[in-house]
Amino acid sequence: MISSRLPSDLSPNAVSAALAWRRAAEQPVIDLTESNPTRVGLSYPADLLAPLADPAALVYDPQPLGLWTAREAVAADLGRHGLAIDPADVTLTASTSEAYALLFKLFCNPGDRVLVPQPSYPLFDHLTRVEAVEAAPYLLEYHGAWRIDLASVIHAVTPRSRAILVVSPNNPTGSCLHRDDLAALVQVCADHGLALIGDEVFLDYPLDPAPGAAPVLSQQEVLTCALGGLSKAGGLPQVKLAWIAWGGPAPARTRTLHAYEIMADSYLSVSTPVQVAAPALLKGSSAIREQLLGRVRRNLEALRAACAAHPSVTTLRVEGGWSAVLRVPAVRTEEELVVTLVTEEGVLVHPGYFFDFSCEAFVVVSLIVAPSTFDRGIARVLARGGA
Ligand SMILES: Cc1ncc(COP(=O)(O)O)c(C=O)c1O
């Protein structure tokens, strides 16, 4: 007996089937969707995880919001983005995905809604559904840079709405929240009693930010949760340390944190070794972050240079993050193009429809792929995907 929160159709989609066929035929695949930083040839110091063996972790001190020393270290680290956060307003989770699950449980009854950007991270459909919450899309529109279509935000709000989710920089558009859009979202939240949830896991990867980008905690007018984690900030998804930084009016924040603490006490999911090691891991992983930033900058430049020789393909503006969007001629469906790229060229890219782009044809590539692999893959995508 499986609940209807999980998908009933588990059959592979056309792209997965093409990939399985290629792998079964033992043909090589250039994976331009690779987003696992531990698999792209970065240089991780062998002793980076040594702090996990600190004997201080031999004592178990269960703290639903996280160990104070770890919360202090995260708050201090957020200072890199010009944010002055009180450690009391930082809570720890094992991952950003887990933070979403906790926040949806905190804010929503079954059937309530959260507003989610479109196009954006496909996992939101799943993360909301398993919490019995409805994801109500609002639109991002591209006019040389991506901005929020505020009319679609207002249209998506109903009496069952509980929160607005923003992703900045967004996956896959690479767009950053503009301060005017932030002000407008804050007004909608204030008018309708909604929380603002800002997924800022890619904040450390600015590429071509438009003037006026603003972190969600640059305002304190409405209850706000800013999400981050070592998975992206330190290239350490396997370590399982993420955080929520809370902002907004003190009475609402205090009340909400008390309720959150009761819920988090049922899970206590962040391991003691990782919390004890947090200050050292935040410091040590800055070397990985620098490599990743150099990598995404290099690959974006190479992508733009390669596209310049293929006028029918455009790289959309990328303000930050780990991915880039290519607009390709819509002379066939995205699915046909992506399946052909896998089966005949041995290159895997994401079709735009995975992220709910409002029209075709787009493909999405990861910018953290090793440079020589990236260049070879992009050359094949452009040769095949151009008109
Ligand atoms: C926008 C966004 N948020 C959250 C996550 C998940 O992060 P975590 O590994 O901390 O769960 C991802 C992973 O790709 C992401 O792209």
Side-chain angles (χ1 to χ4, degrees):
M1 186 61 203
I2 292 173
S3 85
S4 58
R5 297 172 182 209
L6 289 151
S8 51
D9 180 8
L10 299 175
S11 50
N13 60 40
V15 179
S16 308
L19 186 62
W21 174 85
R22 176 101 187 166
R23 293 213 158 114
E26 296 183 0
Q27 296 293 309
V29 176
I30 295 177
D31 187 356
L32 292 186
T33 69
E34 183 60 87
S35 60
N36 177 345
T38 67
R39 292 231 172 98
V40 292
L42 300 176
S43 155
Y44 284 80
D47 61 354
L48 185 60
L49 300 185
L52 290 171
D54 188 324
L58 291 170
V59 175
Y60 183 39
D61 174 17
Q63 295 289 341
L65 303 183
L67 288 185
W68 185 253
T69 47
R71 295 165 73 193
E72 270 182 331
V74 171
D77 195 59
L78 288 169
R80 290 188 296 106
H81 302 294
L83 298 168
I85 310 284
D86 184 334
D89 292 327
V90 172
T91 60
L92 305 181
T93 62
S95 68
T96 313
S97 297
E98 188 195 45
Y100 278 121
L102 292 168
L103 291 177
F104 295 158
K105 277 194 266 289
L106 179 70
F107 293 130
C108 301
N109 287 314
D112 284 347
R113 324 174 107 196
V114 292
L115 275 61
V116 300
Q118 187 179 312
S120 193
Y121 186 42
L123 201 63
F124 292 143
D125 276 345
H126 188 65
L127 290 172
T128 46
R129 196 170 155 157
V130 292
E131 299 303 332
V133 168
E134 192 189 323
Y138 67 88
L139 303 180
L140 304 181
E141 285 186 340
Y142 190 72
H143 306 285
W146 292 90
R147 290 289 295 267
I148 293 175
D149 172 18
L150 290 163
S152 71
V153 174
I154 290 161
H155 183 73
V157 176
T158 70
R160 303 235 33 192
S161 303
R162 297 291 171 257
I164 301 180
L165 210 157
V166 289
V167 187
S168 178
N170 186 32
N171 173 5
T173 60
S175 48
C176 294
L177 180 63
H178 190 278
R179 63 169 174 257
D180 295 347
D181 288 349
L182 174 60
L185 293 182
V186 165
Q187 192 58 54
V188 176
C189 288
D191 290 347
H192 298 275
L194 312 180
L196 182 64
I197 301 175
D199 178 333
E200 296 182 336
V201 297
F202 292 114
L203 208 55
D204 289 295
Y205 302 96
L207 289 163
D208 182 12
V216 283
L217 288 177
S218 57
Q219 56 73 43
Q220 293 291 327
E221 288 159 54
V222 294
L223 184 69
T224 302
C225 306
L227 276 45
L230 269 189
S231 169
K232 308 292 188 280
L236 291 172
Q238 74 278 42
V239 164
K240 297 290 163 200
L241 180 66
W243 48 83
I244 304 169
W246 299 75
R253 192 166 13 115
T254 309
R255 232 184 8 256
T256 311
L257 267 168
H258 276 145
Y260 178 91
E261 184 167 5
I262 292 166
M263 178 181 55
D265 195 28
S266 311
Y267 296 101
L268 298 165
S269 57
V270 192
S271 81
T272 301
V274 83
Q275 295 190 62
V276 168
L281 292 175
L282 283 161
K283 202 153 169 265
S285 63
S286 64
I288 314 301
R289 176 166 61 243
E290 276 157 30
Q291 290 180 59
L292 279 162
L293 185 58
R295 174 73 60 88
V296 290
R297 287 190 166 150
R298 182 266 169 217
N299 282 348
L300 180 60
E301 210 169 293
L303 176 62
R304 285 186 181 138
C307 274
H310 292 264
S312 64
V313 180
T314 317
T315 308
L316 303 194
R317 181 170 187 172
V318 188
E319 293 182 64
W322 286 7
S323 53
V325 179
L326 306 186
R327 195 201 314 259
V328 294
V331 290
R332 75 216 98 175
T333 67
E334 286 171 354
E335 187 167 279
E336 279 163 0
L337 171 62
V338 172
V339 168
T340 304
L341 283 169
V342 171
T343 50
E344 295 179 23
E345 300 290 338
V347 181
L348 179 64
V349 296
H350 284 310
Y353 71 81
F354 273 16
F355 304 88
D356 287 326
F357 279 73
S358 57
C359 63
E360 297 215 356
F362 299 94
V363 298
V364 174
V365 296
S366 165
L367 292 172
I368 68 165
V369 174
S372 60
T373 311
F374 185 81
D375 293 350
R376 274 189 297 127
I378 290 297
R380 292 186 201 182
V381 171
L382 293 176
R384 202 70 193 224

